[in-house]
Amino acid sequence: MEVVRRRSGSGCLSVVVAIMCAFVVVMVPGVLATRWTVGGNMGWSTNFNYTVWAQDKHFYNGDWLFFVYDRNQMNVLEVNKTDYESCNSDNFLHNWTTGAGRDVVPLNVTRNYYFISGKGFCYGGMKLAIHVENLPPPPTSTPLDEKSSSSTLTSRGMIVLPMVLAIGAVWDAFLWH
């Protein structure tokens, strides 16, 4: 009579793998977001042209702006277009200043955003206007014909495929070790 051994915990393994798959599905959109350090290495400071800094960048819904500045002197205020153009900080829409000099602004609405530093620093160039747009749809792949066996990966597929392979490796490690 042959005895079949069963690994204990194989039911738990299925649950762990299912949870990992759920995390992959939830986390993929977050992987595509960008955290922009405003002004790059210069940060949020005077005598810097933020219009030039932003002109070659695309800001998408879900991205973040990261303002780094001297917390004892400057701030980050969101204003409307008129107040942006006149450097008026009296009627700000939102004060993003947390007091640490490391402020993060989520770009979660597709629209124009206008930021200035009050206390007169706006006149020294501390102002930023950006347009936030939705991510463009991924490129469509051409249908496979009967003669071709290759496929085209989209940018999202390039992210998902390594994740799927990593999950398979973890699964394999749990099953056989």
Side-chain angles (χ1 to χ4, degrees), residues 24-94:
V24 167
V25 169
V26 170
M27 294 304 290
V28 166
V31 170
L32 300 175
T34 301
R35 186 193 76 168
W36 296 97
T37 301
V38 175
N41 293 337
M42 292 297 296
W44 185 234
S45 61
T46 58
N47 301 319
F48 186 82
N49 190 329
Y50 292 96
T51 302
V52 171
W53 174 81
Q55 73 185 3
D56 63 341
K57 294 169 180 51
H58 291 277
F59 300 94
Y60 296 112
N61 191 343
D63 286 354
W64 301 80
L65 293 180
F66 184 49
F67 289 86
V68 179
Y69 58 94
D70 181 349
R71 68 181 184 174
N72 296 317
Q73 295 183 11
M74 298 147 184
N75 57 12
V76 178
L77 304 174
E78 185 176 349
V79 296
N80 63 29
K81 183 178 181 180
T82 303
D83 289 341
Y84 169 83
E85 290 169 349
S86 65
C87 285
N88 180 6
S89 61
D90 294 337
N91 304 313
F92 60 86
L93 302 173
H94 196 282

Side-chain angles (χ1 to χ4, degrees), residues 103-153:
D103 298 327
V104 178
V105 177
L107 303 175
N108 52 12
V109 176
T110 55
R111 63 178 173 89
N112 292 322
Y113 287 80
Y114 302 95
F115 300 96
I116 65 171
S117 182
K119 305 177 186 176
F121 289 104
C122 178
Y123 298 108
M126 291 183 69
K127 57 195 282 184
L128 171 68
I130 62 168
H131 177 73
V132 174
E133 55 194 328
N134 284 322
L135 270 171
T140 57
S141 60
T142 57
L144 295 177
D145 61 9
E146 295 163 4
K147 297 177 186 174
S148 173
S149 62
S150 65
S151 63
T152 305
L153 289 177

